[in-house]
Amino acid sequence: MPPYRQLLADTLEWAAPGPGERWLDLGCGGGALTRAIWERTGGTVAEIVGTDCAPANARAYERLRTALAPSPGSRIAFLCHDFSTGLGPLADGAFDHAMSGLSISYAESRNPTTGGWTADAYDRLLNEVARVLRPGGRFVFSVNVPDPSWGRIAWLSLGAALRAERPLRYLKRAGRMWRYGRWLTRGARSGRFHYLPPETVAAKLSAAGFGATEHRLSYAGQALVFRTLKRT
């Protein structure tokens, strides 16, 4: 969909990947950002590790490794892991830079006494990203704005349906995205997910050891793209 393509382009522009770098793709899904970085650098990055809690994405990464040119071999890897628990399998300073697309808001944690949702996992994840980055490393990521309009995203995608090979299938996907987005918004209102204003995100990044933070709107105005640096 056009809004997502714009988000991908905005994220990649700020990531500015270069040859010989080691990248972490956090909440990687099927590997759209991984593919974009590989193609942008002509396969000259040293390593990209995608991590996601869905085991099915291991197969997506297998297909990705087969499709990319030049062949990445072991330089593109997938780790099935729930980042709500942190990034324990990854070593300190293992990566030059990290990226994430609309994922970190879904780090979930509950208060063991009250059962209420907390921001502990979200805060822990930011600290963990800082831990696995080298000093000066970039963290480029997107998150939804507070109370996003999923209907706006679906509406702005309708024009692309006319150019799609299978318009009906495209429209069905847009409808599913809209319904799923409404469910996500309800989760955010309950405190389960974290759709936060940019000032709050920047403050959390600072507390985790990041600085020089900047942000901009993307995704039809329904997402914020952040770029921040691990302090030396």
Coordinates of all heavy atoms in Angstrom, one line a residue, residues 23-120:
W23 N 23.6 -4.9 11.1 CA 22.3 -4.4 11.4 C 21.5 -5.4 12.1 O 21.5 -6.5 11.8 CB 21.6 -4.0 10.1 CG 22.1 -2.6 9.5 CD1 23.2 -2.4 8.7 CD2 21.5 -1.4 9.8 NE1 23.3 -1.1 8.4 CE2 22.3 -0.4 9.1 CE3 20.4 -0.9 10.5 CZ2 22.0 1.0 9.1 CZ3 20.1 0.4 10.5 CH2 20.9 1.3 9.8
L24 N 20.6 -4.8 13.0 CA 19.6 -5.6 13.7 C 18.3 -5.1 13.2 O 18.0 -3.9 13.2 CB 19.7 -5.4 15.2 CG 18.5 -6.0 16.0 CD1 18.5 -7.5 15.9 CD2 18.6 -5.6 17.5
D25 N 17.4 -6.0 12.7 CA 16.0 -5.6 12.3 C 15.1 -6.2 13.3 O 14.8 -7.4 13.4 CB 15.8 -6.3 10.9 CG 14.4 -5.8 10.3 OD1 13.6 -5.2 11.0 OD2 14.2 -6.2 9.1
L26 N 14.6 -5.3 14.2 CA 13.8 -5.6 15.4 C 12.3 -5.7 15.1 O 11.7 -4.7 14.6 CB 14.1 -4.5 16.4 CG 13.7 -4.8 17.9 CD1 14.4 -6.0 18.4 CD2 14.0 -3.5 18.7
G27 N 11.7 -6.9 15.3 CA 10.3 -7.1 15.0 C 10.2 -7.1 13.5 O 9.4 -6.4 12.8
C28 N 11.0 -7.9 12.8 CA 11.3 -7.9 11.4 C 10.2 -8.3 10.5 O 10.2 -8.0 9.3 CB 12.6 -8.7 11.1 SG 12.4 -10.5 11.5
G29 N 9.2 -9.1 11.0 CA 8.1 -9.6 10.2 C 8.8 -10.5 9.1 O 9.7 -11.3 9.3
G30 N 8.3 -10.3 7.9 CA 8.8 -11.1 6.7 C 10.1 -10.5 6.1 O 10.6 -11.1 5.2
G31 N 10.6 -9.4 6.7 CA 11.9 -9.0 6.2 C 11.9 -7.8 5.2 O 12.9 -7.7 4.5
A32 N 10.9 -7.0 5.2 CA 10.8 -5.9 4.3 C 12.0 -4.9 4.4 O 12.6 -4.5 3.5 CB 9.5 -5.2 4.4
L33 N 12.3 -4.6 5.7 CA 13.4 -3.7 6.0 C 14.7 -4.3 5.7 O 15.7 -3.7 5.2 CB 13.3 -3.1 7.4 CG 12.4 -2.0 7.7 CD1 12.3 -1.7 9.2 CD2 12.8 -0.7 6.9
T34 N 14.8 -5.6 6.0 CA 16.1 -6.4 5.7 C 16.3 -6.4 4.2 O 17.5 -6.1 3.8 CB 15.9 -7.8 6.3 OG1 15.9 -7.8 7.7 CG2 17.1 -8.7 5.8
R35 N 15.3 -6.7 3.5 CA 15.5 -6.6 2.0 C 15.9 -5.2 1.5 O 16.8 -5.1 0.7 CB 14.2 -7.0 1.3 CG 14.2 -6.9 -0.2 CD 12.8 -7.1 -0.8 NE 12.4 -8.5 -0.8 CZ 12.7 -9.3 -1.8 NH1 13.4 -8.9 -2.9 NH2 12.3 -10.6 -1.8
A36 N 15.3 -4.2 2.1 CA 15.5 -2.8 1.6 C 17.0 -2.5 1.9 O 17.7 -1.8 1.0 CB 14.6 -1.9 2.3
I37 N 17.5 -2.8 3.0 CA 18.9 -2.5 3.4 C 19.9 -3.3 2.5 O 20.9 -2.8 2.0 CB 19.2 -2.7 4.8 CG1 18.6 -1.5 5.6 CG2 20.6 -2.9 5.1 CD1 19.0 -1.5 7.1
W38 N 19.5 -4.6 2.3 CA 20.4 -5.4 1.4 C 20.5 -4.8 0.0 O 21.5 -4.7 -0.6 CB 19.9 -6.8 1.4 CG 20.8 -7.7 0.6 CD1 20.6 -8.1 -0.7 CD2 21.9 -8.4 1.1 NE1 21.6 -9.0 -1.1 CE2 22.5 -9.2 0.0 CE3 22.6 -8.4 2.3 CZ2 23.6 -9.9 0.1 CZ3 23.7 -9.2 2.4 CH2 24.2 -10.0 1.3
E39 N 19.3 -4.5 -0.5 CA 19.3 -3.9 -1.9 C 19.9 -2.5 -2.0 O 20.6 -2.2 -3.0 CB 17.8 -3.9 -2.4 CG 17.3 -5.4 -2.6 CD 15.8 -5.4 -3.1 OE1 15.2 -4.3 -2.9 OE2 15.4 -6.5 -3.5
R40 N 19.7 -1.7 -1.0 CA 20.2 -0.4 -1.0 C 21.8 -0.4 -1.0 O 22.4 0.4 -1.7 CB 19.7 0.4 0.2 CG 20.4 1.8 0.4 CD 20.1 2.8 -0.7 NE 18.7 3.1 -0.8 CZ 18.1 4.2 -0.1 NH1 18.9 5.0 0.6 NH2 16.9 4.5 -0.3
T41 N 22.3 -1.4 -0.3 CA 23.8 -1.4 -0.2 C 24.4 -2.4 -1.3 O 25.6 -2.6 -1.3 CB 24.2 -1.9 1.2 OG1 23.7 -3.2 1.4 CG2 23.7 -1.0 2.3
G42 N 23.6 -2.9 -2.1 CA 24.1 -3.9 -3.1 C 24.7 -5.1 -2.5 O 25.6 -5.7 -3.0
G43 N 24.2 -5.5 -1.3 CA 24.7 -6.7 -0.6 C 26.0 -6.5 0.0 O 26.7 -7.5 0.2
T44 N 26.4 -5.3 0.3 CA 27.8 -5.1 0.9 C 27.8 -5.0 2.4 O 28.8 -4.8 3.0 CB 28.4 -3.8 0.3 OG1 27.6 -2.7 0.6 CG2 28.5 -3.9 -1.2
V45 N 26.6 -5.1 3.0 CA 26.6 -5.1 4.5 C 27.2 -6.3 5.0 O 27.2 -7.4 4.4 CB 25.2 -4.9 5.1 CG1 24.6 -3.5 4.8 CG2 24.2 -6.0 4.5
A46 N 27.8 -6.3 6.2 CA 28.4 -7.4 6.8 C 27.4 -8.4 7.3 O 27.6 -9.7 7.2 CB 29.4 -7.0 7.9
E47 N 26.3 -7.9 7.9 CA 25.3 -8.8 8.5 C 24.0 -8.1 8.8 O 24.0 -6.9 9.1 CB 25.9 -9.4 9.8 CG 25.0 -10.3 10.6 CD 25.5 -10.8 11.9 OE1 26.2 -9.9 12.6 OE2 25.3 -11.9 12.3
I48 N 22.9 -8.8 8.6 CA 21.6 -8.3 9.1 C 20.9 -9.5 9.8 O 20.8 -10.6 9.3 CB 20.7 -7.9 7.9 CG1 21.4 -6.9 7.0 CG2 19.4 -7.3 8.5 CD1 20.5 -6.6 5.8
V49 N 20.6 -9.2 11.1 CA 19.8 -10.2 11.9 C 18.4 -9.7 12.1 O 18.2 -8.6 12.7 CB 20.5 -10.5 13.2 CG1 19.7 -11.4 14.1 CG2 21.9 -11.1 13.0
G50 N 17.4 -10.5 11.6 CA 16.1 -10.1 11.9 C 15.6 -10.9 13.1 O 15.8 -12.1 13.1
T51 N 14.9 -10.3 14.0 CA 14.3 -11.0 15.1 C 12.8 -10.7 15.2 O 12.4 -9.6 15.0 CB 15.0 -10.6 16.4 OG1 14.4 -11.4 17.5 CG2 14.9 -9.2 16.7
D52 N 12.0 -11.8 15.5 CA 10.6 -11.6 15.5 C 10.0 -12.8 16.3 O 10.7 -13.9 16.4 CB 10.0 -11.7 14.1 CG 8.6 -11.2 14.1 OD1 7.6 -12.0 14.3 OD2 8.3 -10.0 13.8
C53 N 8.9 -12.6 16.9 CA 8.3 -13.7 17.8 C 7.5 -14.7 17.0 O 7.1 -15.7 17.6 CB 7.5 -13.1 18.9 SG 6.0 -12.2 18.3
A54 N 7.3 -14.5 15.7 CA 6.5 -15.4 14.9 C 7.4 -16.4 14.2 O 8.1 -16.1 13.3 CB 5.7 -14.6 13.9
P55 N 7.3 -17.7 14.5 CA 8.1 -18.7 13.9 C 8.0 -18.8 12.4 O 8.9 -19.1 11.7 CB 7.7 -20.0 14.6 CG 7.1 -19.6 15.9 CD 6.4 -18.3 15.6
A56 N 6.8 -18.4 11.9 CA 6.5 -18.5 10.4 C 7.5 -17.6 9.6 O 7.8 -17.9 8.5 CB 5.1 -18.1 10.1
N57 N 8.0 -16.6 10.3 CA 8.9 -15.7 9.6 C 10.3 -16.3 9.3 O 11.0 -15.7 8.5 CB 9.0 -14.3 10.3 CG 7.8 -13.5 10.2 OD1 7.2 -13.5 9.1 ND2 7.3 -12.9 11.3
A58 N 10.6 -17.4 10.0 CA 11.8 -18.1 9.6 C 11.7 -18.6 8.2 O 12.7 -18.5 7.4 CB 12.0 -19.3 10.5
R59 N 10.5 -19.0 7.7 CA 10.4 -19.5 6.3 C 10.4 -18.3 5.4 O 11.0 -18.4 4.3 CB 9.0 -20.2 6.2 CG 9.0 -21.5 6.9 CD 7.8 -22.3 6.5 NE 6.5 -21.7 6.9 CZ 6.0 -21.8 8.1 NH1 6.5 -22.5 9.1 NH2 4.8 -21.2 8.4
A60 N 9.9 -17.1 5.8 CA 10.0 -15.9 5.0 C 11.4 -15.5 4.8 O 11.8 -15.1 3.7 CB 9.2 -14.8 5.7
Y61 N 12.3 -15.7 5.8 CA 13.7 -15.3 5.7 C 14.4 -16.3 4.8 O 15.3 -16.0 4.1 CB 14.3 -15.2 7.0 CG 14.4 -13.7 7.5 CD1 13.2 -13.1 7.8 CD2 15.6 -13.0 7.6 CE1 13.2 -11.7 8.2 CE2 15.6 -11.7 8.0 CZ 14.4 -11.1 8.3 OH 14.4 -9.7 8.6
E62 N 14.0 -17.6 4.8 CA 14.6 -18.6 3.9 C 14.3 -18.2 2.5 O 15.2 -18.3 1.6 CB 14.0 -20.0 4.2 CG 14.5 -20.6 5.6 CD 13.8 -21.9 5.9 OE1 13.0 -22.3 5.0 OE2 14.0 -22.4 7.0
R63 N 13.1 -17.8 2.2 CA 12.7 -17.4 0.8 C 13.5 -16.1 0.5 O 13.9 -16.0 -0.7 CB 11.2 -17.1 0.7 CG 10.4 -18.4 0.9 CD 8.9 -18.2 0.5 NE 8.3 -17.2 1.4 CZ 7.6 -17.6 2.5 NH1 7.5 -18.8 2.8 NH2 7.0 -16.7 3.2
L64 N 13.6 -15.2 1.4 CA 14.4 -14.0 1.2 C 15.8 -14.2 0.8 O 16.3 -13.7 -0.2 CB 14.3 -13.1 2.4 CG 14.9 -11.7 2.3 CD1 14.1 -10.9 1.2 CD2 14.8 -10.9 3.6
R65 N 16.5 -15.1 1.5 CA 17.9 -15.4 1.2 C 18.0 -16.0 -0.2 O 19.0 -15.8 -0.9 CB 18.4 -16.4 2.3 CG 18.8 -15.7 3.6 CD 19.5 -16.7 4.5 NE 18.7 -17.7 5.0 CZ 18.0 -17.7 6.1 NH1 18.1 -16.6 6.9 NH2 17.2 -18.6 6.5
T66 N 17.0 -16.8 -0.6 CA 17.0 -17.4 -1.9 C 16.8 -16.3 -3.0 O 17.4 -16.4 -4.1 CB 15.9 -18.5 -2.1 OG1 16.2 -19.5 -1.1 CG2 15.9 -19.1 -3.4
A67 N 16.0 -15.3 -2.7 CA 15.6 -14.4 -3.8 C 16.6 -13.2 -4.0 O 16.7 -12.6 -5.0 CB 14.2 -13.7 -3.4
L68 N 17.4 -12.9 -2.9 CA 18.3 -11.8 -3.0 C 19.5 -12.0 -3.9 O 20.0 -13.2 -4.0 CB 18.7 -11.4 -1.6 CG 17.6 -10.8 -0.7 CD1 18.2 -10.5 0.7 CD2 17.1 -9.5 -1.3
A69 N 20.0 -11.0 -4.5 CA 21.2 -11.0 -5.2 C 22.1 -9.8 -4.9 O 21.5 -8.7 -4.8 CB 20.9 -11.1 -6.7
P70 N 23.4 -10.0 -4.6 CA 24.0 -11.3 -4.6 C 23.5 -12.1 -3.4 O 23.0 -11.6 -2.4 CB 25.5 -10.9 -4.4 CG 25.5 -9.6 -3.7 CD 24.3 -8.9 -4.3
S71 N 23.7 -13.4 -3.5 CA 23.2 -14.3 -2.4 C 23.9 -14.0 -1.1 O 25.1 -13.9 -1.0 CB 23.6 -15.8 -2.8 OG 23.2 -16.6 -1.8
P72 N 23.1 -13.8 0.0 CA 23.6 -13.4 1.2 C 24.2 -14.5 2.0 O 25.0 -14.2 3.0 CB 22.4 -12.8 2.0 CG 21.2 -13.5 1.4 CD 21.6 -13.7 0.0
G73 N 23.9 -15.7 1.7 CA 24.4 -16.8 2.5 C 24.0 -16.6 4.0 O 22.8 -16.3 4.3
S74 N 25.0 -16.8 4.9 CA 24.7 -16.6 6.3 C 24.7 -15.2 6.8 O 24.5 -15.0 8.0 CB 25.7 -17.4 7.1 OG 27.0 -16.9 6.8
R75 N 24.9 -14.3 5.9 CA 25.0 -12.9 6.3 C 23.6 -12.3 6.6 O 23.5 -11.2 7.2 CB 25.7 -12.0 5.3 CG 27.2 -12.2 5.2 CD 27.9 -11.2 4.3 NE 27.5 -11.4 2.9 CZ 27.5 -10.5 2.0 NH1 27.7 -9.2 2.4 NH2 27.2 -10.8 0.8
I76 N 22.5 -13.0 6.3 CA 21.2 -12.6 6.7 C 20.7 -13.8 7.5 O 20.6 -14.9 7.0 CB 20.3 -12.3 5.5 CG1 20.6 -11.0 4.9 CG2 18.8 -12.3 5.9 CD1 19.7 -10.6 3.7
A77 N 20.3 -13.5 8.8 CA 19.9 -14.5 9.7 C 18.6 -14.1 10.4 O 18.3 -12.9 10.5 CB 21.0 -14.8 10.7
F78 N 17.8 -15.1 10.8 CA 16.6 -14.9 11.5 C 16.7 -15.5 12.9 O 17.1 -16.6 13.1 CB 15.4 -15.5 10.8 CG 14.1 -15.4 11.5 CD1 13.4 -14.2 11.5 CD2 13.6 -16.5 12.2 CE1 12.2 -14.1 12.2 CE2 12.4 -16.4 12.9 CZ 11.7 -15.2 12.9
L79 N 16.2 -14.8 13.9 CA 16.2 -15.2 15.3 C 14.7 -15.1 15.8 O 14.2 -14.0 15.8 CB 17.1 -14.4 16.2 CG 17.0 -14.6 17.7 CD1 17.5 -16.0 18.0 CD2 17.8 -13.5 18.4
C80 N 14.1 -16.3 16.1 CA 12.8 -16.3 16.6 C 12.9 -16.0 18.1 O 13.4 -16.8 18.9 CB 12.1 -17.6 16.4 SG 10.4 -17.6 16.9
H81 N 12.4 -14.8 18.5 CA 12.5 -14.3 19.9 C 11.5 -13.3 20.2 O 11.2 -12.4 19.3 CB 13.9 -13.8 20.1 CG 14.2 -13.2 21.5 ND1 14.3 -14.0 22.6 CD2 14.3 -11.9 21.9 CE1 14.4 -13.3 23.7 NE2 14.5 -12.0 23.3
D82 N 10.9 -13.3 21.4 CA 10.0 -12.3 21.8 C 10.7 -11.1 22.5 O 11.2 -11.3 23.6 CB 8.9 -12.9 22.8 CG 7.9 -11.9 23.2 OD1 7.9 -10.7 22.8 OD2 7.0 -12.3 24.0
F83 N 10.8 -10.0 21.8 CA 11.6 -8.9 22.4 C 10.9 -8.3 23.7 O 11.5 -7.4 24.3 CB 11.9 -7.8 21.4 CG 10.7 -7.1 20.7 CD1 9.6 -6.7 21.4 CD2 10.8 -6.9 19.3 CE1 8.6 -6.0 20.8 CE2 9.8 -6.2 18.7 CZ 8.7 -5.8 19.4
S84 N 9.7 -8.7 24.0 CA 9.1 -8.2 25.3 C 9.9 -8.7 26.5 O 9.8 -8.1 27.5 CB 7.6 -8.7 25.4 OG 6.8 -8.1 24.4
T85 N 10.7 -9.7 26.3 CA 11.5 -10.2 27.4 C 12.9 -9.6 27.4 O 13.8 -10.0 28.2 CB 11.6 -11.8 27.3 OG1 12.3 -12.1 26.1 CG2 10.2 -12.4 27.3
G86 N 13.2 -8.8 26.4 CA 14.5 -8.2 26.2 C 15.2 -8.8 25.0 O 14.5 -9.4 24.2
L87 N 16.5 -8.6 24.9 CA 17.2 -9.1 23.8 C 18.4 -10.0 24.3 O 19.5 -10.0 23.8 CB 17.8 -8.0 23.0 CG 16.8 -7.0 22.3 CD1 17.4 -5.9 21.6 CD2 15.9 -7.8 21.3
G88 N 18.1 -10.9 25.3 CA 19.0 -11.7 25.9 C 19.9 -12.5 25.0 O 21.1 -12.7 25.3
P89 N 19.4 -13.1 23.9 CA 20.3 -13.9 23.0 C 21.4 -13.1 22.3 O 22.3 -13.7 21.7 CB 19.4 -14.5 22.0 CG 18.0 -14.5 22.7 CD 18.0 -13.2 23.5
L90 N 21.3 -11.8 22.3 CA 22.3 -11.0 21.5 C 23.3 -10.3 22.5 O 23.0 -9.9 23.6 CB 21.5 -9.8 20.8 CG 20.4 -10.3 19.9 CD1 19.6 -9.1 19.3 CD2 20.9 -11.2 18.8
A91 N 24.5 -10.3 22.0 CA 25.7 -9.9 22.8 C 25.8 -8.4 22.9 O 25.3 -7.7 22.0 CB 27.0 -10.5 22.2
D92 N 26.4 -7.9 23.9 CA 26.7 -6.4 24.0 C 27.5 -5.9 22.8 O 28.4 -6.6 22.4 CB 27.5 -6.1 25.3 CG 26.8 -6.4 26.6 OD1 25.6 -6.9 26.5 OD2 27.4 -6.2 27.6
G93 N 27.1 -4.8 22.2 CA 27.8 -4.2 21.1 C 27.9 -5.0 19.9 O 28.8 -4.8 19.1
A94 N 26.9 -5.9 19.7 CA 27.0 -6.9 18.6 C 26.7 -6.2 17.2 O 27.0 -6.7 16.2 CB 26.0 -8.0 18.8
F95 N 26.0 -5.0 17.2 CA 25.6 -4.4 16.0 C 26.0 -2.9 15.9 O 26.2 -2.2 16.9 CB 24.0 -4.4 15.9 CG 23.5 -5.8 15.9 CD1 23.1 -6.4 17.1 CD2 23.4 -6.6 14.7 CE1 22.6 -7.7 17.1 CE2 22.9 -7.9 14.7 CZ 22.5 -8.4 15.9
D96 N 26.3 -2.5 14.7 CA 26.6 -1.1 14.4 C 25.3 -0.3 14.5 O 25.4 0.8 15.0 CB 27.2 -1.0 13.0 CG 28.5 -1.7 12.9 OD1 29.4 -1.4 13.7 OD2 28.6 -2.5 12.0
H97 N 24.2 -0.8 14.0 CA 23.0 0.0 13.9 C 21.8 -0.9 14.1 O 21.9 -2.2 13.8 CB 22.9 0.8 12.6 CG 24.1 1.5 12.2 ND1 24.5 2.6 12.9 CD2 25.0 1.4 11.2 CE1 25.6 3.1 12.4 NE2 25.9 2.4 11.4
A98 N 20.6 -0.4 14.4 CA 19.4 -1.1 14.5 C 18.2 -0.4 13.8 O 18.3 0.9 13.7 CB 19.0 -1.4 16.0
M99 N 17.2 -1.1 13.4 CA 16.1 -0.5 12.8 C 14.8 -1.3 13.2 O 14.9 -2.5 13.7 CB 16.2 -0.6 11.2 CG 16.4 -1.9 10.7 SD 16.7 -2.0 8.9 CE 17.2 -3.7 8.7
S100 N 13.7 -0.7 13.1 CA 12.4 -1.4 13.4 C 11.3 -0.7 12.7 O 11.2 0.6 12.7 CB 12.2 -1.4 14.9 OG 11.1 -2.1 15.3
G101 N 10.4 -1.5 12.2 CA 9.2 -0.9 11.5 C 7.9 -1.2 12.3 O 7.5 -2.3 12.3
L102 N 7.3 -0.2 12.9 CA 6.0 -0.3 13.6 C 5.9 -1.5 14.5 O 4.9 -2.3 14.5 CB 4.9 -0.4 12.5 CG 4.7 0.8 11.6 CD1 3.6 0.6 10.6 CD2 4.5 2.1 12.4
S103 N 7.0 -1.7 15.3 CA 7.0 -3.0 16.1 C 7.2 -2.7 17.6 O 6.6 -3.4 18.4 CB 8.2 -3.9 15.6 OG 7.9 -4.3 14.3
I104 N 8.1 -1.8 18.0 CA 8.5 -1.7 19.4 C 7.3 -1.3 20.3 O 7.3 -1.6 21.5 CB 9.7 -0.8 19.6 CG1 9.3 0.6 19.4 CG2 10.8 -1.2 18.8 CD1 10.4 1.6 19.9
S105 N 6.3 -0.7 19.7 CA 5.1 -0.4 20.5 C 4.4 -1.6 21.2 O 3.6 -1.4 22.1 CB 4.1 0.4 19.7 OG 4.6 1.6 19.2
Y106 N 4.7 -2.8 20.6 CA 4.0 -4.0 21.0 C 4.8 -4.8 22.0 O 4.5 -6.0 22.2 CB 3.6 -4.8 19.8 CG 2.8 -3.9 18.8 CD1 3.4 -3.5 17.6 CD2 1.6 -3.4 19.2 CE1 2.7 -2.6 16.8 CE2 0.9 -2.5 18.4 CZ 1.4 -2.2 17.2 OH 0.7 -1.3 16.3
A107 N 5.8 -4.2 22.7 CA 6.4 -4.9 23.8 C 5.5 -4.9 25.0 O 5.1 -3.8 25.5 CB 7.7 -4.1 24.2
E108 N 5.1 -6.1 25.4 CA 4.0 -6.2 26.4 C 4.5 -6.7 27.8 O 5.4 -7.5 27.9 CB 3.0 -7.3 25.9 CG 2.3 -7.0 24.6 CD 1.3 -8.1 24.3 OE1 0.8 -8.8 25.2 OE2 1.1 -8.2 23.0
S109 N 3.9 -6.1 28.8 CA 4.3 -6.5 30.2 C 3.1 -6.2 31.1 O 2.4 -5.2 30.9 CB 5.5 -5.8 30.7 OG 5.4 -4.4 30.6
R110 N 2.9 -7.0 32.1 CA 1.8 -6.9 33.1 C 2.4 -6.7 34.5 O 3.5 -7.3 34.8 CB 0.9 -8.1 33.1 CG -0.1 -8.1 31.9 CD -1.0 -9.3 32.1 NE -2.0 -9.4 31.0 CZ -3.2 -8.9 31.0 NH1 -3.6 -8.1 32.0 NH2 -4.0 -9.1 30.0
N111 N 1.7 -6.0 35.3 CA 2.1 -6.0 36.7 C 1.7 -7.3 37.4 O 0.5 -7.7 37.3 CB 1.3 -4.8 37.4 CG 1.7 -4.7 38.9 OD1 1.6 -5.6 39.7 ND2 2.2 -3.5 39.2
P112 N 2.7 -8.1 37.9 CA 2.3 -9.4 38.5 C 1.3 -9.4 39.6 O 0.7 -10.4 39.9 CB 3.7 -9.9 38.9 CG 4.5 -8.7 39.1 CD 4.1 -7.7 38.2
T113 N 1.2 -8.2 40.3 CA 0.3 -8.1 41.4 C -1.1 -7.8 41.0 O -2.1 -8.4 41.4 CB 0.8 -7.1 42.5 OG1 2.1 -7.5 42.9 CG2 -0.1 -7.0 43.7
T114 N -1.2 -6.7 40.2 CA -2.5 -6.2 39.8 C -3.0 -6.8 38.5 O -4.2 -6.7 38.2 CB -2.5 -4.7 39.6 OG1 -1.6 -4.3 38.5 CG2 -1.9 -4.0 40.9
G115 N -2.1 -7.3 37.7 CA -2.5 -7.8 36.4 C -2.7 -6.7 35.3 O -3.0 -7.0 34.2
G116 N -2.4 -5.5 35.7 CA -2.6 -4.4 34.7 C -1.4 -4.3 33.8 O -0.3 -4.7 34.1
W117 N -1.6 -3.7 32.6 CA -0.6 -3.5 31.7 C 0.4 -2.4 32.1 O 0.0 -1.5 32.8 CB -1.1 -3.1 30.3 CG -2.0 -4.2 29.7 CD1 -3.4 -4.2 29.6 CD2 -1.6 -5.4 29.1 NE1 -3.8 -5.3 29.0 CE2 -2.8 -6.1 28.7 CE3 -0.3 -6.0 28.9 CZ2 -2.7 -7.3 28.0 CZ3 -0.3 -7.3 28.3 CH2 -1.4 -7.9 27.9
T118 N 1.7 -2.6 31.8 CA 2.7 -1.6 32.2 C 3.6 -1.3 31.0 O 3.5 -2.0 30.0 CB 3.6 -2.2 33.3 OG1 4.5 -3.1 32.8 CG2 2.8 -2.8 34.4
A119 N 4.4 -0.3 31.1 CA 5.4 0.1 30.1 C 6.7 -0.5 30.4 O 7.7 -0.2 29.7 CB 5.5 1.6 30.0
D120 N 6.8 -1.4 31.3 CA 8.2 -2.0 31.7 C 8.9 -2.6 30.5 O 10.1 -2.5 30.3 CB 8.0 -3.0 32.9 CG 7.6 -2.3 34.2 OD1 7.6 -1.0 34.2 OD2 7.2 -3.0 35.1

